[in-house]
DNA sequence: TATGAATGAGCCTTCATTCAT
DNA sequence: TATGAATGAAGGCTCATTCAT
């Protein structure tokens, strides 16, 4: 990686949590300058404008979020364990896996009406998660872990919606209570489909 | 109502959807000037500063949202119909009951880390909704509509989380598909507790 | 005095110390509204504009200052005692006879280059003080208290300058030390002319 | 000196007389923009806020004032001549050595009640002047120019107070008459201590 | 590539003032 | 006489961005 690329990467990494926490409009380029220690000119050497930086930051946050999920699920050997690992990983929204909480939600409410290109990226991430969940269950069915007549595609959508809803409501409330209930409920729903 | 109060009210009403759509940081006082047709000075006669206006706008949006829900549920005579009315009312996030979508989500992601006083208001609204749902079911149990061993308090939390999650994911996707599935699922879950 | 005049008088009295302390430019009409409890409209019923209020306030402060001096000097029976009373009255600039200290200085530095009409009033006050001092000494000479060849007119000018200089320097320093020395010195100078 | 430092210096130099003439509150940042030909943004690149600019301007004015005094006194060879040079330099307040007149007075009346950090700087300048005068006389005593029993420390305080008082009163009056009298008087007082 | 001085539009807010009631 | 809603210019300051070095 060239020096330029390294700097660019560093900017994105340092900027990512700030945008995720404060939001796109509320984060100033000067905030990023401060946290990177770079000069104004240098920032603009690497990113044409704020929008480009935002775009890279959204990508980074989503990629980072997905990576942590993948890392948690990957080592698990059974479908049930993978699903439970997913649930547990996202089970404490107040100590989230990336600073500021789920980027889909954080950027989503700001982007839905006003930043279509960001919304498109977020939507891809949503589908990625849903497909990942569906894929795990499908695999589980094939491995005779789950009963075959489970409508797993629908469940994946329901599960992800429920967790995202629980995530933001918990963060607003300032405690993980709702998410605990949701985790318990989802696990119970999953167990109902386990073939013993 | 005095003229001043009327103007204040008008400002809030005109400002409410703008803040709900664009967000707190991204909405400028000049946006509100434009939409109200008032001068800058006049705005500041009615609101000490932007924060005060935001506070009034959050209150208004939440109150307005709650009011529409209440209006939809109120006329229904049975608990099942009330719950279904709730689900149907919020079933199309792309044509939401107030412009910009659910204010709990819109303000929530911006407020959770940075505006505690707003978060407190949002949390009160969340509990209001959950309690309203729980209350309907409880009434339904007493009226022998639902079986008595339904853990309705937990269901209320689950239901609201699922709908909020579905709401924002649908808005990001730009279609109501997820929400339709959630509606169908929730209605099925409810029917399971109906005593026929 | 009519009600209107009473209100006008009240405004001036309440406004006077604020302008004397904060200065003309730094005092806002809203500061005066606050301290008087009057509405914007009411203020402008009594004073055409801020300049008119300032003008009245300057008059009031000067008049008030002069009045306190006169009250302190008047009862004294001899010229020496009158001069000493004057010196003692102005001897503690940090607890001045009107809030904010000598209005000649406070308005003078702001007015000298930019508000000629105010400067004119201040100058009249300066001459009033100098003439008062000169008049006391002249009377003292006639009463054989002081030797006849004292150039009392020059002394009056010197004395007032010294006290005004000491007043502001003491206020800047935050202690009365300089003024104490000046008081001692002036009294010694006066005693040199006393016929025993 | 870097370009940035040069610009900063230029801003201070151009701003200094304006603040000295109009006062801190009455001088707007836009006044400084105009006189420097710089944009608002550029001003704020060099000074965090108005207060920082004021601080630099006060320093500059005081330093500049002190510099001119030092330049006038320095070349003189005897203590008497130095004192007379000081008196003569400040003898015409209507054509003062820096535009707007003595900064100690100009900033002092505005700062005494409301800007303690400025007042501290002014006080340091006052003591500097008093000490300079006292130092000259002390040196004169050592050189047998002045009689040894002159309480020169007290005289320095008296002299500076008198000149500051005369300065502002002259400026208010719009003529140098009082200052001429003060000059004459001070010189006479000094001569009384000269050993011939 | 990196710097940081410069820009000017725009932001939030305050100000003096007016005027219908 | 008193009120307070309305005004718009101006104030201090921040922002994203440009560009010569």
């Amino acid at each position: 990686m060239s020096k330029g690329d390294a700097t660019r990467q560093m900017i994105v990494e340092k900027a990512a949590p700030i945008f995720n926490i404060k939001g796109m409009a509320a984060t100033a380029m000067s905030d990023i300058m401060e946290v990177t220690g770079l000069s104004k000119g240098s920032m603009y050497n690497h990113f044409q404008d704020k929008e480009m930086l935002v775009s890279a930051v959204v990508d980074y946050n989503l990629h980072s979020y997905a990576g942590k999920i993948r890392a948690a699920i990957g080592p698990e050997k059974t479908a049930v364990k993978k699903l439970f690992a997913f649930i547990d990983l996202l089970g404490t929204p107040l100590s989230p896996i990336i600073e500021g909480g789920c980027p889909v939600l954080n950027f989503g409410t700001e982007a839905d009406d006003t930043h279509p290109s960001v919304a498109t990226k977020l939507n891809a991430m949503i589908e990625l998660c849903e497909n990942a969940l569906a894929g795990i269950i499908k695999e589980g069915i094939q491995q005779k872990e789950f009963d075959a007549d489970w409508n797993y595609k629908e469940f994946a959508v329901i599960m992800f919606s429920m967790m995202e809803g629980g995530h933001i409501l918990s963060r607003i409330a300032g405690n993980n209570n709702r998410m605990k209930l949701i985790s318990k409920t989802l696990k119970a729903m999953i167990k109902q489909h386990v073939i013993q």
Side-chain angles (χ1 to χ4, degrees), chain A:
Chain A
M1 185 161 57
S2 74
K3 191 185 174 199
D5 288 350
T7 303
R8 194 192 135 96
Q9 181 67 7
M10 182 271 279
I11 294 171
V12 173
E13 284 171 18
K14 294 272 177 65
I18 300 185
F19 277 102
N20 199 42
I21 292 167
K22 298 179 70 173
M24 299 186 282
T27 300
M29 292 300 270
S30 60
D31 293 335
I32 310 309
M33 277 175 58
E34 201 177 328
V35 79
T36 56
L38 288 174
S39 66
K40 226 134 224 200
S42 193
M43 302 272 330
Y44 279 89
N45 280 338
H46 295 284
F47 298 96
Q48 204 175 60
D49 54 25
K50 188 184 177 182
E51 199 185 330
M52 291 295 186
L53 174 56
V54 165
S55 177
V57 158
V58 170
D59 287 341
Y60 179 86
N61 274 325
L62 293 178
H63 188 257
S64 173
Y65 207 70
K68 301 218 174 185
I69 292 173
R70 218 176 294 120
I73 292 174
E76 302 296 340
K77 297 301 175 200
T78 69
V80 174
K81 284 187 178 170
K82 281 178 195 285
L83 294 178
F84 279 31
F86 184 95
I87 291 168
D88 289 337
L89 186 71
L90 303 181
T92 54
L94 267 73
S95 26
I97 57 176
I98 71 170
E99 260 187 280
C102 177
V104 171
L105 298 170
N106 286 329
F107 291 96
T109 50
E110 200 171 351
D112 56 0
D113 296 301
T114 50
H115 296 71
S117 73
V118 172
T120 302
K121 292 179 180 197
L122 301 178
N123 193 38
M125 173 69 176
I126 294 168
E127 291 178 355
L128 189 84
C129 287
E130 290 172 344
N131 291 339
L133 292 174
I136 291 169
I137 303 177
K138 187 181 179 188
E139 179 77 10
I141 291 173
Q142 288 168 348
Q143 300 298 324
K144 312 286 186 200
E145 268 191 83
F146 297 129
D147 55 74
D149 56 355
W150 190 7
N151 188 336
Y152 61 87
K153 285 186 182 171
E154 287 193 358
F155 180 77
V157 172
I158 294 291
M159 172 173 165
F160 192 63
S161 285
M162 207 188 294
M163 292 188 74
E164 288 293 78
H167 182 93
I168 182 60
L169 296 189
S170 287
R171 286 183 65 82
I172 293 168
N175 66 64
N176 292 321
N177 299 348
R178 279 178 190 78
M179 205 61 195
K180 280 184 193 158
L181 173 58
I182 287 168
S183 296
K184 190 189 74 174
T185 303
L186 282 171
K187 287 181 179 177
M189 289 169 86
I190 291 164
K191 280 182 191 157
Q192 286 179 354
H193 293 275
V194 172
I195 302 171
Q196 56 269 32

